[in-house]
Amino acid sequence: MFVSRLSAVALVVSSALAGTIGWKRDICGLVDADLTLDTLGVLNVDYGHIGPICLCISGLSDFLTTNAIVAVPVQLLGAAEVEAALGVLIGGSPVCNSSPSTRKRDTYVFNDNMCPKGQSLCGIQSSWTKTDWECIDTKTDLESCGGCVLGVMGTPGDGVDCTAIEGVEDVACAAGHCQVFSCASGFRVSDCGTTCVRTSHHT
């Protein structure tokens, strides 16, 4: 553990130096593991599960101030200790970013191979960073039907939120298409059965 933490500190220091000298490469890992830390004489205290999430060394400072799981160990042990532990997790996780970029920021490589078969990689609307994602079965998911409503890195998706159809009351997602069963007063199910259409106008 001592050697691993030294390696993590080295990663953090290297990242800081990289920012100072203008080096654009970052170190990112697809973290999906428990955060365990020795605390007040107790070995391997489990503070909770991190991930699955693509974490980068350059983003750890923000992560420490926004993630609920790390809040307690940060208070007990300090940010540097927790950051070092996260560095260990990043270093031991599959890489989730591209090769060094010539642009100001590195780009991330995301694809559906990161999800179970039959599911798609979609962005999370309320996440703290655009790199957060989840695996969704877009053939049946009500809020991402036929595709992701939000793509990774904040890009627009091509899916449909069936629950957001105007006037809809009862709806399902079947084979990647919204299937409307009933509509609110003033609407009726469309002939194609995928939307609600107005039957009267209200002033």
Side-chain angles (χ1 to χ4, degrees):
M1 175 61 73
F2 179 70
V3 174
S4 297
R5 288 185 179 177
L6 282 180
S7 300
V9 172
L11 288 176
V12 174
V13 172
S14 296
S15 178
L17 290 175
T20 301
I21 64 177
W23 186 35
K24 302 304 180 185
R25 187 175 184 272
D26 197 4
I27 301 170
C28 304
L30 183 59
V31 176
D32 188 11
D34 293 334
L35 177 63
T36 58
L37 289 160
D38 298 345
T39 306
L40 303 177
V42 180
L43 300 179
N44 297 324
V45 176
D46 189 346
Y47 287 97
H49 195 80
I50 302 289
I53 182 175
C54 184
L55 275 181
C56 299
I57 294 296
S58 63
L60 286 182
S61 295
D62 288 338
F63 187 76
L64 291 178
T65 61
T66 56
N67 185 272
I69 292 176
V70 302
V72 173
V74 165
Q75 289 181 349
L76 293 175
L77 304 172
E81 183 76 8
V82 179
E83 189 168 347
L86 291 172
V88 172
L89 295 182
I90 290 173
S93 301
V95 175
C96 59
N97 72 315
S98 67
S99 57
S101 171
T102 56
R103 294 175 295 180
K104 288 186 177 180
R105 294 184 180 179
D106 286 343
T107 56
Y108 296 84
V109 175
F110 294 101
N111 56 63
D112 289 345
N113 292 331
M114 297 165 67
C115 292
K117 186 177 180 180
Q119 297 188 11
S120 299
L121 193 73
C122 301
I124 299 177
Q125 186 71 45
S126 59
S127 66
W128 70 278
T129 171
K130 290 182 179 180
T131 60
D132 283 357
W133 53 271
E134 61 183 337
C135 295
I136 293 177
D137 184 351
T138 58
K139 297 185 297 295
T140 59
D141 192 271
L142 267 180
E143 297 179 345
S144 289
C145 188
C148 301
V149 168
L150 180 69
V152 292
M153 295 301 294
T155 58
D158 55 2
V160 176
D161 182 352
C162 299
T163 66
I165 295 174
E166 185 182 18
V168 74
E169 276 195 341
D170 188 10
V171 63
C173 177
H177 298 281
C178 296
Q179 184 176 356
V180 176
F181 299 108
S182 65
C183 302
S185 177
F187 293 84
R188 65 172 179 82
V189 178
S190 65
D191 293 338
C192 61
T194 59
T195 61
C196 293
V197 295
R198 289 184 179 274
T199 57
S200 61
H201 296 281
H202 300 278
T203 57

